[in-house]
Amino acid sequence: MKKDHEKSLLDSHPDYKKENDRLTFTRLYIDQVVTTSKMSEGQVRESLKQAYETLDSLDSSMGYMNLLTGASLLKMTSDQTKRLELVYDKPYFARIDYQKTNEEKESLYIGKASLHDPESQAQIIVDWRSPVANVYYDGRLGEVEYEVNGDSTEGYLSLKRQYQIEEGKLLDIRDIDLTTTDELLQESLAGKADNRLTEIVSTIQKEQNDIIRAPLNRPIIVQGAAGSGKTTIALHRISYFLYVNSETFHPSDLMILAPNHLFIEYISNVLPELGVEKIQQTTLIDYMKRAIGQKIRLADPTQKLLLLVETVDEQASLKWLSTFKGSLEFMSIMDRYIQYIEESMAPNEDVMLEKFRILRGKRLQILFLEDYSYLPVYRRLEKIKGVIQSHIRTKKKHILKKIEDVYENALEKALYGIRNDQKRRKKVTFIMDTKAERLASIQKEARSTVRNYMKTFKKEKATDLYKELLSSAELFQEIAPELSMDKIRLLIQHSQQLFAKRSYEFEDLAPIYYLHGRLYGLEDQDKVRSVFIDEAQDYSYFQLVALRKILETSLFTIVGDLAQGIHSYRGMRDWNVVKNEIFEDAHYFTLQKSYRTTIDIMNVANDVLGLMNEKLPLVEPVVRRGELPSYYQYDPASKNDLGKQMEQDIQTIQKRGFNTIAIIGRTQQECDAINKVMKNRDVRVQLVKEQEDFQKDHVTILPSYLAKGLEFDAVLIPAIHEPYTEKELDVKLLYVAMTRAMHELYLYSERPEDLLLQHVPAEKLQSS
């Protein structure tokens, strides 16, 4: 069978033998490099001898043998060795033939690692992140140029070739023009979800590549439709960032803020492939809690989401409270509150040593409020303490000398001015005793002056100060007189209800983090120099400002989709605010083309999205046809029929070779109901909670709000107890659920209206 395939490929592509030899050599070279890094000199010679015997059968054996000798001279770090081991079975995915102006033509093989011969400097594998590899992603055949450190390099691209290599076997060769590029993309998109993320590097599109390689010294914001490759772009930009800045940045200097732990687990496989597994990966909640350094109990943010989905009397108040706490207005109030704390803490008393003034309070106040204003408030106190200590050390000597001089003068007067021996002796004794006591007293007081002065400054926890502000209507009105007393009372009352339960809500975390950072600063382990945020549409403006200001960096990569903003009640509804008021020098990109979902599924999802009051652009799917989404209307009297139909559909999906299947419910409660329906079925299911990992070979049941950022081969969406309404939040939840599907979508409800399908033309659906 293998020989038949090779003969077929040999017949279809004239360079098959040559390319197969090159692949064999590359893998032997990698093997030799790894061996050299792990073995003794004698073992290396023996390994080299075996490699020569393998190469002897190849047409180009002599040239390859000369290069292979260099592999034994190449010493690599353990990280580099590990990287080569990861790409061993698929060392490269493409080749370009490029001739720089006035130079010889080169054949460059592009992969996920970099490898060169130390003697000849010949490139064995060119890293996809290198400047010349940009020709593969952006260049068409003909005259092409690329940039290196701002300088343009011109040349001629005569060949773009892509390979399909699996487990070290060359399965296919494609010479690329525009038509072939589209075919390769279609084949990649038709692949399965469980390995698509790790293989995306070979089919990165030009508009995605532009974002990945956008200037690294400025923030970027990406508004990307569902399936447009936002996550892919963020991960590959991290990899590119570390490649370009390898000498100045360590992976631990970068941080991914993921929407939840499921997402972190989802991307965990691709990070080692991209060489960035040592990057910090966390959620906003976990990071801010860690940075604050206190145990903070948060009310479940999902409960607020569920309250807002339902029609309740408190809905308008809840929305206002969440929006306000996430607003730039509230950040301004926090700035004023911090100023109030600063001014109330500022030193104003003179520093005295006995009756001598060491430092004027006014001078310390200027130091605290002005000269040291670049420091967190409580760290200014350390500087003030140091200044006082220095002045005491310097002035104490002068004070002691002055006192000694005073007593020496008094002693001299007594010795020569009092004629009565008894009176003179008594006076001299008194002067000497008094001098000794006073000098000792000053020495003792000097030791405690700093401590006594500094203990008047009370350091309070950020949580306590935040509670103080949100517990007093009078204090809040003093800080924010522009806010009506009715709104202040609403805010105070809501906060008191939380504080009574010894808890806070998610929207409180950014203000507390901001307050803590302004007062205490961050510990070294909580500082990062570049931040990558996925699903940023669910962040508030305050959260973004707090991160930028407290981390003291503007190197952010922010990707999101306002159409999927299920937490927009927190305040994020417009990228213009982010562009114009938070990251004013940011590059802004839009991606409306979806590479995930078939056009048939996207047409239905777009009809649902069209119910939004906001004017959001509809997604443009890459033209990839598939099955029409399937709709099954079940009898409410028999939930057993629903479970049986879903079981049959899942088995059909699995027979088609799809491995990742999700059943997405509106809420966690709905997922519990789905789990009961699927109980005792001939299908292995896993009801997933946020902190859990996915179980292999199980159908995943999860709520819509945890599905953001994930993708599956097939998705089933049943409405059992919770129909979707035409309210904005419901529309977004359903849109998120539908756009998780790559290939197949199945819908189940008692009535079409329960899934908003009355707005979808009948010809866009098929009946189960």
Side-chain angles (χ1 to χ4, degrees), residues 673-712:
I674 293 168
N675 194 42
K676 287 181 182 178
V677 167
M678 297 306 295
K679 193 174 181 181
N680 300 323
R681 295 286 168 190
D682 191 19
V683 173
R684 287 191 293 179
V685 298
Q686 178 196 7
L687 180 60
V688 175
K689 304 291 174 66
E690 185 186 344
Q691 302 290 334
E692 296 178 349
D693 292 340
F694 293 113
Q695 293 180 17
K696 194 175 180 182
D697 299 326
H698 282 65
V699 174
T700 301
I701 302 175
L702 78 167
S704 55
Y705 42 82
L706 283 186
K708 286 188 300 92
L710 308 180
E711 64 183 20
F712 303 89

Coordinates of all heavy atoms in Angstrom, one line a residue, residues 673-712:
A673 N -30.0 19.5 33.0 CA -31.1 18.8 32.4 C -30.7 18.0 31.1 O -31.2 16.9 30.9 CB -32.2 19.9 31.9
I674 N -29.8 18.5 30.3 CA -29.3 17.8 29.2 C -28.6 16.5 29.6 O -28.8 15.4 29.1 CB -28.3 18.6 28.4 CG1 -29.1 19.8 27.7 CG2 -27.6 17.8 27.3 CD1 -28.2 20.9 27.1
N675 N -27.8 16.6 30.7 CA -27.1 15.5 31.2 C -28.0 14.3 31.7 O -27.8 13.2 31.4 CB -26.2 15.9 32.4 CG -25.2 14.8 32.8 OD1 -24.6 14.2 31.9 ND2 -25.0 14.7 34.1
K676 N -29.2 14.7 32.3 CA -30.2 13.7 32.6 C -30.8 13.1 31.4 O -31.0 11.9 31.4 CB -31.3 14.4 33.5 CG -30.8 14.8 34.9 CD -32.0 15.4 35.7 CE -31.5 15.8 37.1 NZ -32.6 16.5 37.8
V677 N -31.0 13.9 30.4 CA -31.6 13.3 29.2 C -30.7 12.3 28.5 O -31.1 11.3 28.0 CB -31.9 14.4 28.1 CG1 -32.2 13.9 26.8 CG2 -33.1 15.3 28.7
M678 N -29.4 12.6 28.6 CA -28.4 11.7 28.0 C -27.9 10.5 28.9 O -27.1 9.7 28.5 CB -27.2 12.5 27.6 CG -27.4 13.6 26.5 SD -28.2 12.9 25.1 CE -27.0 11.9 24.4
K679 N -28.5 10.5 30.1 CA -28.1 9.4 31.0 C -28.5 8.1 30.5 O -29.6 7.9 30.0 CB -28.7 9.7 32.4 CG -28.1 8.8 33.5 CD -28.7 9.3 34.9 CE -28.1 8.4 36.0 NZ -28.7 8.8 37.3
N680 N -27.7 7.1 30.7 CA -28.0 5.7 30.3 C -28.0 5.5 28.7 O -28.6 4.5 28.2 CB -29.3 5.2 30.9 CG -29.2 5.2 32.4 OD1 -28.1 4.9 33.0 ND2 -30.3 5.5 33.1
R681 N -27.6 6.5 28.0 CA -27.5 6.4 26.5 C -26.2 5.8 26.2 O -25.2 5.8 27.0 CB -27.6 7.8 25.9 CG -28.9 8.5 26.1 CD -30.0 7.8 25.2 NE -31.3 8.3 25.6 CZ -32.5 7.7 25.2 NH1 -32.4 6.7 24.3 NH2 -33.6 8.2 25.5
D682 N -26.1 5.2 25.0 CA -24.9 4.6 24.5 C -23.9 5.6 24.0 O -23.4 5.4 22.9 CB -25.3 3.5 23.4 CG -24.1 2.6 23.1 OD1 -23.2 2.5 24.0 OD2 -24.1 2.0 22.0
V683 N -23.7 6.6 24.8 CA -22.7 7.7 24.4 C -22.1 8.1 25.7 O -22.7 8.4 26.7 CB -23.5 8.9 23.8 CG1 -22.5 10.1 23.6 CG2 -24.1 8.5 22.4
R684 N -20.8 8.3 25.7 CA -20.0 8.7 26.8 C -20.0 10.3 26.8 O -19.5 10.9 25.9 CB -18.6 8.2 26.8 CG -18.5 6.7 27.1 CD -17.1 6.3 27.4 NE -16.3 6.4 26.2 CZ -15.0 6.1 26.2 NH1 -14.3 5.7 27.3 NH2 -14.3 6.1 25.0
V685 N -20.6 10.8 27.9 CA -20.7 12.3 28.0 C -20.0 12.8 29.2 O -19.8 12.0 30.2 CB -22.2 12.8 28.0 CG1 -22.9 12.4 26.7 CG2 -22.9 12.3 29.2
Q686 N -19.5 14.0 29.2 CA -18.9 14.7 30.3 C -19.5 16.0 30.5 O -19.5 16.9 29.7 CB -17.4 14.9 30.1 CG -16.7 15.6 31.2 CD -15.3 16.1 30.9 OE1 -14.9 16.0 29.7 NE2 -14.6 16.6 31.8
L687 N -20.2 16.2 31.7 CA -20.7 17.5 32.1 C -19.6 18.3 32.6 O -19.1 18.1 33.7 CB -21.8 17.3 33.1 CG -22.5 18.6 33.6 CD1 -23.2 19.3 32.5 CD2 -23.5 18.2 34.7
V688 N -19.1 19.3 31.9 CA -17.9 20.1 32.2 C -18.2 21.3 33.1 O -19.1 22.1 32.8 CB -17.2 20.5 30.9 CG1 -16.0 21.4 31.2 CG2 -16.8 19.3 30.1
K689 N -17.4 21.4 34.1 CA -17.4 22.7 34.9 C -16.1 23.4 34.6 O -15.2 22.9 34.0 CB -17.5 22.4 36.4 CG -18.7 21.5 36.8 CD -20.0 22.2 36.7 CE -21.2 21.3 37.0 NZ -21.2 20.9 38.4
E690 N -16.1 24.7 34.9 CA -15.0 25.6 34.4 C -13.6 25.1 34.9 O -12.7 25.1 34.1 CB -15.2 27.0 34.9 CG -14.1 27.9 34.4 CD -14.1 29.3 34.9 OE1 -15.1 29.7 35.5 OE2 -13.1 30.0 34.7
Q691 N -13.5 24.5 36.1 CA -12.2 24.1 36.5 C -11.7 22.8 36.1 O -10.6 22.3 36.4 CB -12.1 24.1 38.1 CG -12.5 25.5 38.7 CD -11.4 26.5 38.5 OE1 -10.3 26.2 38.3 NE2 -11.8 27.8 38.5
E692 N -12.5 22.1 35.3 CA -12.2 20.7 34.8 C -11.5 20.7 33.5 O -11.6 21.6 32.7 CB -13.5 19.9 34.7 CG -14.2 19.7 36.1 CD -15.5 18.9 35.9 OE1 -16.0 18.7 34.7 OE2 -16.1 18.5 36.9
D693 N -10.8 19.6 33.2 CA -10.2 19.4 31.9 C -11.1 18.5 31.1 O -12.0 17.7 31.6 CB -8.9 18.6 32.1 CG -7.8 19.5 32.7 OD1 -8.0 20.7 32.7 OD2 -6.8 19.0 33.2
F694 N -11.0 18.6 29.8 CA -11.8 17.7 28.9 C -11.3 16.3 29.0 O -10.1 16.0 29.0 CB -11.7 18.2 27.4 CG -12.3 19.6 27.2 CD1 -11.5 20.7 26.9 CD2 -13.7 19.8 27.3 CE1 -12.0 21.9 26.6 CE2 -14.2 21.0 27.0 CZ -13.4 22.1 26.7
Q695 N -12.3 15.4 29.0 CA -12.0 14.0 29.0 C -11.9 13.5 27.5 O -12.9 13.8 26.8 CB -13.0 13.1 29.8 CG -12.9 13.4 31.3 CD -14.0 12.6 32.1 OE1 -14.5 11.6 31.5 NE2 -14.3 13.0 33.3
K696 N -10.9 12.7 27.2 CA -10.8 12.3 25.8 C -11.9 11.3 25.5 O -12.3 10.5 26.4 CB -9.4 11.6 25.7 CG -9.0 11.3 24.2 CD -7.6 10.8 24.1 CE -7.2 10.5 22.7 NZ -5.9 10.0 22.5
D697 N -12.3 11.3 24.3 CA -13.3 10.4 23.7 C -14.7 10.5 24.5 O -15.5 9.6 24.5 CB -12.9 8.9 23.8 CG -11.6 8.7 23.0 OD1 -11.5 9.3 22.0 OD2 -10.8 7.9 23.5
H698 N -14.9 11.7 25.0 CA -16.3 12.0 25.6 C -16.9 13.1 24.9 O -16.3 14.0 24.4 CB -16.1 12.4 27.1 CG -15.9 11.2 28.0 ND1 -14.8 10.4 28.0 CD2 -16.7 10.7 29.0 CE1 -14.9 9.5 28.9 NE2 -16.0 9.6 29.5
V699 N -18.2 13.1 24.8 CA -19.0 14.2 24.3 C -19.1 15.2 25.4 O -19.5 14.9 26.5 CB -20.4 13.7 23.8 CG1 -21.2 14.9 23.4 CG2 -20.3 12.8 22.6
T700 N -18.8 16.4 25.1 CA -18.7 17.5 26.1 C -20.1 18.2 26.3 O -20.6 18.6 25.3 CB -17.6 18.5 25.8 OG1 -16.4 17.9 25.7 CG2 -17.6 19.6 26.8
I701 N -20.6 18.3 27.5 CA -21.7 19.1 27.8 C -21.3 20.4 28.5 O -20.7 20.2 29.6 CB -22.8 18.3 28.6 CG1 -23.2 17.1 27.9 CG2 -24.0 19.2 28.9 CD1 -24.1 16.2 28.7
L702 N -21.5 21.5 28.0 CA -21.1 22.7 28.7 C -22.0 23.9 28.3 O -22.7 23.9 27.3 CB -19.7 23.1 28.3 CG -19.3 23.8 27.0 CD1 -17.9 24.3 27.0 CD2 -19.5 22.8 25.8
P703 N -22.1 24.9 29.3 CA -23.0 26.1 29.0 C -22.4 27.0 28.0 O -21.2 27.1 27.8 CB -23.1 26.7 30.4 CG -21.8 26.3 31.1 CD -21.5 24.9 30.6
S704 N -23.2 27.8 27.4 CA -22.8 28.6 26.2 C -21.7 29.6 26.6 O -20.8 29.9 25.9 CB -24.1 29.4 25.7 OG -24.7 30.1 26.8
Y705 N -21.8 30.2 27.9 CA -20.8 31.2 28.3 C -19.5 30.6 28.5 O -18.5 31.4 28.6 CB -21.4 32.0 29.5 CG -22.0 31.2 30.6 CD1 -21.3 30.5 31.5 CD2 -23.4 31.0 30.6 CE1 -21.8 29.7 32.5 CE2 -24.0 30.3 31.6 CZ -23.2 29.6 32.5 OH -23.8 28.9 33.5
L706 N -19.3 29.3 28.7 CA -18.0 28.7 28.8 C -17.5 28.2 27.5 O -16.3 27.8 27.4 CB -18.1 27.5 29.8 CG -18.2 27.8 31.3 CD1 -18.1 26.5 32.1 CD2 -17.1 28.7 31.7
A707 N -18.3 28.3 26.5 CA -17.9 27.8 25.2 C -17.1 28.8 24.4 O -16.5 28.4 23.3 CB -19.1 27.3 24.4
K708 N -17.1 30.1 24.8 CA -16.5 31.1 24.0 C -15.0 30.8 23.8 O -14.3 30.4 24.7 CB -16.5 32.4 24.7 CG -17.9 33.1 24.7 CD -17.9 34.5 25.2 CE -17.5 34.6 26.7 NZ -16.1 34.9 26.9
G709 N -14.5 30.9 22.6 CA -13.1 30.7 22.2 C -12.8 29.3 21.8 O -11.7 29.0 21.3
L710 N -13.8 28.3 22.1 CA -13.5 26.9 21.8 C -14.1 26.6 20.4 O -15.0 27.3 19.9 CB -14.2 26.1 22.9 CG -13.8 26.4 24.3 CD1 -14.5 25.4 25.3 CD2 -12.3 26.3 24.5
E711 N -13.7 25.5 19.9 CA -14.4 25.0 18.6 C -14.4 23.5 18.7 O -13.6 22.8 19.3 CB -13.6 25.5 17.4 CG -12.2 25.0 17.3 CD -11.4 25.5 16.1 OE1 -11.9 26.6 15.6 OE2 -10.4 25.0 15.7
F712 N -15.4 22.9 18.0 CA -15.7 21.5 18.0 C -16.0 21.1 16.5 O -16.6 21.9 15.8 CB -16.8 21.1 18.9 CG -16.6 21.6 20.3 CD1 -17.0 22.8 20.8 CD2 -15.9 20.7 21.2 CE1 -16.8 23.2 22.1 CE2 -15.7 21.1 22.5 CZ -16.1 22.4 23.0

